[in-house]
Structures are given as C-alpha cells and as structure tokens.
Amino acid sequence: MQNQERNLIMKIASIGDSVTKGFDGFKDITENYPYYLSQIMNCPVDNFGINGATIKDDLANEINGVNWSTYQQCILFMGTNDYGHNADNLQSVINTLKNCLTFILKTNPDIKITAILPLTRYDEHQNAAEQVRFASYTFNELLDALAQTYKKYNIPVLDWRILYPNFINDDNYQVKYNDQHVHPTAQTYYQIAKKIAEFIKKQ
C-alpha cells in the first residue's frame, strides 16, 4: 500500500529528444514511452521531449522551462542527436551535460534523476556503434562518456548495451524502428516504457 501511495503522488518529468517526444520517423504519436510509462507507474509523466534536441544546444533551454519543485523524478534520455547531427567535440557535450545536471540538482536537491542512454542507432542500415560521424568520436564513445558522467553524479544509468544487449540489434532493428533508423514503433515505445519502469523500481 505504501508503494502504491508513493506512486500516486510521484510526478515525473521526461526530458529528451524525439524518442521522448514520440516521433516514429514520420509523425509524432500519442503512444510514446512517457504515455505508456504513466500507465505502468500509475503516476503523471510530463513529456518535455523536443524533436531533434541535442544536449549541447537544447538541453539547457529544455530544463529551464520546467518547474522542478513540482517533480519527484526526472528521466533524462538524450544524446543521439549530438552524435548524429553536431560537429561539437565530445568534451563540449559532456561539459554542457554537467552544467545541466548541476542546475537540476541545485533547483531541486531532492529530485531523483534516472539516466537512459540513447538506443542503438542505425545510419543508412549500418550499426553506428563504432562509426565516426560528424565529430571525432564513435557512438559507443558517446555512450561511455555519458555513462561515466552520470555515475559521477550518482545517477542510475540504464545502459541498453549491458542490461538489454539484444533489445535492438542487427537482426531486429528493421522491425523495432518504424524508420529503420532511430525512431521506435508504438509497440517498441511500450517495450521501452516497461524496461524504464522496471529499472526505476529497482533503484
């Protein structure tokens, strides 16, 4: 009963890019991961996702628009666009992330932040893990740097590579991603929400 009461009063802010917003590669859909997470966790989950958002250029504006005193939990799920679209070096991305984490925790010292690393991505049907794109780092190097940064702040990190290595892989990405690139189907969004909920409940 106590857990049920806690969930009923908990309020979650979901910060991120198009995978938080609910873009399926062609349009925004209602059946996104915050929508499903709200049902699974039985609590309000406010979606602050922005299509195309990056840590380097958009995260500060995204978190500045949130009234952090009204939230008990924050889910931060972004970074894929920093790799996919920006030429900023990795240290610059990480420095911005540190500043934003400091801001959130200073604004609400009691908030619990959960970090979700970007999902495996496929660019032109190639697994991006060891590919260098616009900046001089691979996708795996981005994921490693994000994970190390979150851990320095004692923030739990859902690393798909470790916890769910076969959730999206070379054999199923064409089915899991509606655009066969980075944007999930509605069914995959539901699966993402379930795994995030499981991860949060274990913390």
Side-chain angles (χ1 to χ4, degrees), residues 97-99 101-102 105 148-155:
L97 177 61
K98 289 178 179 178
N99 291 337
L101 293 174
T102 299
L105 293 169
Q148 291 168 9
T149 302
Y150 290 128
K151 288 174 183 177
K152 287 179 181 178
Y153 284 77
N154 295 316
I155 294 171

Side-chain angles (χ1 to χ4, degrees), residues 170-189:
D170 295 353
D171 296 324
N172 66 21
Y173 78 94
Q174 293 179 320
V175 176
K176 290 289 188 78
Y177 286 145
N178 199 51
D179 57 1
Q180 302 179 359
H181 174 37
V182 294
H183 297 106
T185 64
Q187 182 179 19
T188 305
Y189 273 125

Side-chain angles (χ1 to χ4, degrees), residues 35 41 90 111 117 201:
Y35 166 83
M41 299 289 289
L90 185 53
I111 198 165
L117 294 192
K201 290 174 181 177

Side-chain angles (χ1 to χ4, degrees), residues 52-54 80-88 121 133-135 181-182:
T54 62
T80 193
N81 292 322
D82 292 273
Y83 166 83
H85 301 292
N86 279 0
D88 297 285
R121 60 178 287 144
R133 200 157 163 80
F134 291 103
H181 174 37
V182 294

Side-chain angles (χ1 to χ4, degrees), residues 14 31 52 68 80 116 156 164 173:
S14 292
E31 297 82 5
W68 289 106
T80 193
I116 313 297
Y164 305 105
Y173 78 94

Side-chain angles (χ1 to χ4, degrees), residues 15-22 49-53 62 77-81:
I15 305 294
D17 48 39
S18 55
V19 178
T20 296
K21 178 70 173 175
I50 299 174
N51 289 340
E62 200 166 343
F77 189 179
M78 66 193 306
T80 193
N81 292 322

